[in-house]
Amino acid sequence: MTFSSSSSSSAFQNTLPRLFAMKPGTPLAGLDIVKGKDAPVAKERKEYPDWVNDLAKPLTSLAELRRMDMEDATDKDMMRYLKLTRRGEIKGKNNDAGDS
């Protein structure tokens, strides 16, 4: 799939998630679900737990995991590798079943 610079690509870019921090005090749109209360606001970066920063990091791709040595891989890397290879096998079997 390729992306062109037409108007449809600008609509696509508007749907991409924002991967940068909001300014402190910015209201968090969509989280104003409690009746009678204002929307929560973004806090200073240091006020959040450390694991929140890990949410913006991209996940390791299957190609990178295949190149990785087993000794260097973390438990999380091994679980992701198994998940992605199993998903590929299931998709392959589903395609084969749909062709017949």
Side-chain angles (χ1 to χ4, degrees):
M1 174 183 279
T2 59
F3 298 105
S4 64
S5 61
S6 68
S7 62
S8 64
S9 69
S10 64
F12 175 75
Q13 290 173 350
N14 291 337
T15 61
L16 293 175
R18 298 171 65 178
L19 298 178
F20 52 88
M22 297 177 145
K23 293 179 183 176
T26 304
L28 302 174
L31 295 180
D32 52 348
I33 57 174
V34 179
K35 222 178 214 184
K37 288 194 175 184
D38 293 333
V41 295
K43 300 177 184 178
E44 290 285 337
R45 193 63 145 181
K46 62 185 175 191
E47 292 183 49
Y48 290 103
D50 292 334
W51 62 266
V52 173
N53 294 327
D54 294 339
L55 297 174
K57 294 178 184 175
L59 297 173
T60 310
S61 70
L62 181 57
E64 292 171 341
L65 291 169
R66 285 183 173 151
R67 287 192 302 260
M68 194 179 293
D69 290 330
M70 289 293 286
E71 294 82 27
D72 297 335
T74 63
D75 288 341
K76 186 176 179 180
D77 290 334
M78 287 189 259
M79 293 298 293
R80 179 155 173 78
Y81 174 78
L82 290 173
K83 176 184 175 181
L84 294 175
T85 53
R86 288 179 186 145
R87 182 183 294 165
E89 291 173 9
I90 291 169
K91 285 185 178 185
K93 289 179 182 178
N94 286 343
N95 283 337
D96 292 344
D99 292 339
S100 53

